[in-house]
Amino acid sequence: MRQPAVRLLWLSQVPYAELLALQERWLRRLQAEPGTEAGALLLCEPAGPVYTAGLRGGLTSEEATRLRALGADVRAIGRGGLATFHGPGQLLCHPVLDLRPLGLRLRAHVAALEACAVRLCELQGLPGARARPPPYTGVWLGERKICAIGVRCGRHITSHGLALNCSTDLTWFEHIVPCGLVGTGVTSLSKELQRHVTVDEVIPRFLEAFKETYKCTLISEDSPS
């Protein structure tokens, strides 16, 4: 049986706003002709620090002002979840997918994202990575969160996705309660493996995990469309 084809767009290190703009273009494309193509996998490394608040909020106006004073961008976006941080050294993965050609429902899509992150950690030599039951989201190593997940889905079309800490400066997380979970910590591949792990290093293994999990092929595109 022929596997569905997903377009792959690796943006390298770009401002977070560029990722959001490309995501919006792909959303409009899939919404215009629903069910005709599987969509696109958008990958990037954020060029600068940004805090995002999801549909459930997570940041007051006073907190947003304080975070901007640190030199970070602050954005309210349409994904699920509360507040988190994105920045250099982090792999951002936004699958803009029509779930119908992939034969998936929303819950299966979220589970697949978690499985991709778990598999990547395994391939990097961290077999202890796990998804946890609610209220926890994302992928964890013990009580330390290594990958945040927050998605949006409307009419079977997804956006947003996951953020995996590779060599992220984790001190940025100290200024918020990540995802609203008190008493938990954050970590990165670099911290766990005790060596510098770049986003570029993990991309091939992440793509391997994505193809295995979503049972799709990836078609690389040289430029955003």
Side-chain angles (χ1 to χ4, degrees):
M1 184 176 178
R2 185 177 179 182
Q3 292 184 324
V6 173
R7 303 286 175 176
L8 169 64
L9 292 97
W10 163 235
L11 307 181
S12 190
Q13 192 173 72
V14 298
Y16 184 68
E18 286 191 26
L19 173 64
L20 293 183
L22 181 59
Q23 174 178 267
E24 184 60 30
R25 290 200 294 275
W26 268 95
L27 276 172
R28 290 197 300 267
R29 172 170 165 170
L30 295 182
Q31 289 164 352
E33 298 184 55
T36 59
E37 62 177 321
L41 174 61
L42 313 181
L43 301 176
C44 82
E45 177 181 357
V50 55
Y51 292 96
T52 64
L55 293 170
R56 291 163 54 204
L59 294 174
T60 65
S61 59
E62 292 80 9
E63 287 171 326
T65 299
R66 175 176 57 82
L67 295 173
R68 289 189 179 99
L70 299 173
D73 189 10
V74 179
R75 290 176 173 267
I77 57 175
R79 59 159 172 79
L82 294 166
T84 193
F85 169 79
H86 302 309
Q90 191 178 69
L91 171 63
L92 281 188
C93 161
H94 283 205
V96 188
L97 302 175
D98 189 327
L99 296 180
R100 287 163 291 192
L102 292 161
L104 296 175
R105 294 183 181 272
L106 177 57
R107 184 172 294 183
H109 167 58
V110 173
L113 283 176
E114 291 172 338
C116 286
V118 168
R119 180 61 177 149
L120 172 61
C121 289
E122 291 173 347
L123 292 171
Q124 290 291 136
L126 294 172
R130 296 287 184 272
R132 297 173 67 180
Y136 300 97
T137 60
V139 172
W140 299 74
L141 287 158
E143 293 294 316
R144 306 175 305 283
K145 192 173 193 176
I146 196 166
C147 177
I149 292 177
V151 304
R152 184 176 186 177
C153 185
R155 298 180 180 178
H156 306 283
I157 297 173
T158 70
S159 57
H160 299 282
L162 66 76
L164 183 94
N165 297 324
C166 298
S167 55
T168 319
D169 180 355
L170 299 177
T171 60
W172 285 101
F173 288 96
E174 296 172 2
H175 303 287
I176 59 172
V177 180
C179 303
L181 296 173
V182 178
T184 60
V186 292
T187 191
S188 67
L189 292 174
S190 293
K191 183 176 181 179
E192 296 295 327
L193 294 170
Q194 292 296 294
R195 65 177 181 84
H196 187 68
V197 180
T198 66
V199 173
D200 284 341
E201 176 185 331
V202 306
I203 288 285
R205 287 173 171 166
F206 180 81
L207 296 181
E208 177 184 336
F210 189 89
K211 288 186 291 185
E212 288 177 0
T213 305
Y214 281 84
K215 296 179 173 57
C216 68
T217 58
L218 291 172
I219 302 173
S220 182
E221 292 200 355
D222 294 332
S223 59
S225 60

